């Protein structure tokens, strides 16, 4: 029991102790790496799984906060996902749950950028690891289980064994990736909608629930994600 307490105390100390901020070269490299991951399509197809995890996690979190009962989350190999919650089929809770997905990664990135820019990048990594652990309990398919487990294991290796300077650099890169990576799915969403391939998208679900056209919801998604990227980018820019 004493050993477990010592480990938890050590983790708490690491997560809550401010680390020195990286120099301008590291900060700019983190931004460049994140941008390349988002812009280079073959790399993006793999990395997009992280955005999907954040997307579905946001659906699940808001559903619970609105009093809905979370029934499970599925993540698919084509980087799509599905979050099922039970409760009223209409009303504020359902609208908020549907809205949270596309803006979730950007909002998470903004929060990560705020903490990271104040020296708590290591704490951001531990918070994300805890969130992945909680999310794992709600996964209901094998690919989703594999996706969250691999992401969590990689993050645990970073937080437990790497030097704090590397941890800060990775937190900086992750923050940039969430901020920039939140925007591309919104663009892809509208591209799919224009081809008639996204009739069950979050925007179209919200259109059916509220009567507001789906394209307006896509625009709102875009404004929120771009806004988060701009504000978060200013926090992270050296």
């Amino acid at each position: 029991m004493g050993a477990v307490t010592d480990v938890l105390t050590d983790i708490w100390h690491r997560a809550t102790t401010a680390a020195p901020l990286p120099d301008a070269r590291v900060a700019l490299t983190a931004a460049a790496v994140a941008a390349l991951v988002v812009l280079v399509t073959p790399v993006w197809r793999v990395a997009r799984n992280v955005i999907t995890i954040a997307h579905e996690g946001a659906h699940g979190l808001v559903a619970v906060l609105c009093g809905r009962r979370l029934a499970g989350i599925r993540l698919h190999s084509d980087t799509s996902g599905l979050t099922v919650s039970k409760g009223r089929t209409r009303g504020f809770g359902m609208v908020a749950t549907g809205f949270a997905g596309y803006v979730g990664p950007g909002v998470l990135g903004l929060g990560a950028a705020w903490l990271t820019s104040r020296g708590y990048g290591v704490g951001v990594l531990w918070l994300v690891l805890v969130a992945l652990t909680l999310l794992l309990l709600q996964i209901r398919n094998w690919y989703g289980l594999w996706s969250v487990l691999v992401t969590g294991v990689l993050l645990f290796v970073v937080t437990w064994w790497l030097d704090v300077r590397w941890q800060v650099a990775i937190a900086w890169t992750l923050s940039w990736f969430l901020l920039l990576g939140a925007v591309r799915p919104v663009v892809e969403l509208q591209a799919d909608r224009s081809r008639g391939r996204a009739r069950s998208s979050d925007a179209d679900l919200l259109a059916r629930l509220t009567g507001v056209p789906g394209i307006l919801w896509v625009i709102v998604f875009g404004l929120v994600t771009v806004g988060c990227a701009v504000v978060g980018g200013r926090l992270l820019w050296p």
Side-chain angles (χ1 to χ4, degrees):
M1 188 66 180
V4 174
T5 302
D6 290 342
V7 170
L8 293 176
T9 301
D10 183 39
I11 292 173
W12 178 258
H13 177 72
R14 295 186 193 191
T16 58
T17 300
L21 298 180
D23 59 32
R25 182 179 61 180
V26 173
L28 291 174
T29 301
V33 169
L36 284 174
V37 170
V38 173
L39 294 174
V40 178
T41 298
V43 181
W44 167 248
R45 285 173 181 158
V46 177
R48 197 187 193 281
N49 284 284
V50 175
I51 299 298
T52 302
I53 290 172
H55 178 118
E56 300 303 329
H59 278 314
L61 175 62
V62 172
V64 172
L65 292 177
C66 290
R68 301 180 62 81
R69 185 167 67 85
L70 193 57
I73 295 173
R74 292 176 177 269
L75 305 172
H76 304 134
S77 58
D78 62 354
T79 69
S80 65
L82 176 67
T83 298
V84 178
S85 62
K86 296 184 178 180
R88 292 181 59 193
T89 56
R90 305 191 73 85
F92 174 78
M94 191 64 184
V95 172
T97 299
F99 180 76
Y102 277 96
V103 302
V107 173
L108 176 61
L110 180 58
W114 185 80
L115 287 171
T116 300
S117 66
R118 280 155 178 75
Y120 296 102
V122 178
V124 167
L125 297 180
W126 280 107
L127 283 173
V128 174
L129 188 57
V130 170
L132 287 173
T133 303
L134 295 174
L135 182 65
L136 194 63
L137 301 176
Q138 295 296 330
I139 298 296
R140 296 294 183 267
N141 68 323
W142 285 110
Y143 183 83
L145 184 68
W146 175 85
S147 182
V148 175
L149 272 176
V150 169
T151 305
V153 168
L154 291 174
L155 197 55
F156 179 77
V157 170
V158 169
T159 53
W160 194 253
W161 279 292
L162 290 189
D163 181 80
V164 67
R165 290 172 296 179
W166 278 102
Q167 293 176 355
V168 170
I170 290 170
W172 222 267
T173 306
L174 177 61
S175 299
W176 272 113
F177 173 67
L178 289 169
L179 291 169
L180 300 177
V183 179
R184 182 164 176 172
V186 179
V187 177
E188 294 173 341
L189 167 65
Q190 185 52 33
D192 287 340
R193 293 183 74 253
S194 67
R195 301 185 185 101
R197 298 191 308 202
R199 299 184 186 279
S200 59
S201 71
D202 292 348
D204 294 283
L205 169 65
L206 290 168
R208 290 192 292 272
L209 289 172
T210 65
V212 177
I215 183 61
L216 293 183
W217 285 110
V218 176
I219 291 172
V220 173
F221 294 159
L223 290 174
V224 173
T225 53
V226 171
C228 288
V230 170
V231 176
R234 291 186 64 182
L235 291 172
L236 295 172
W237 198 255

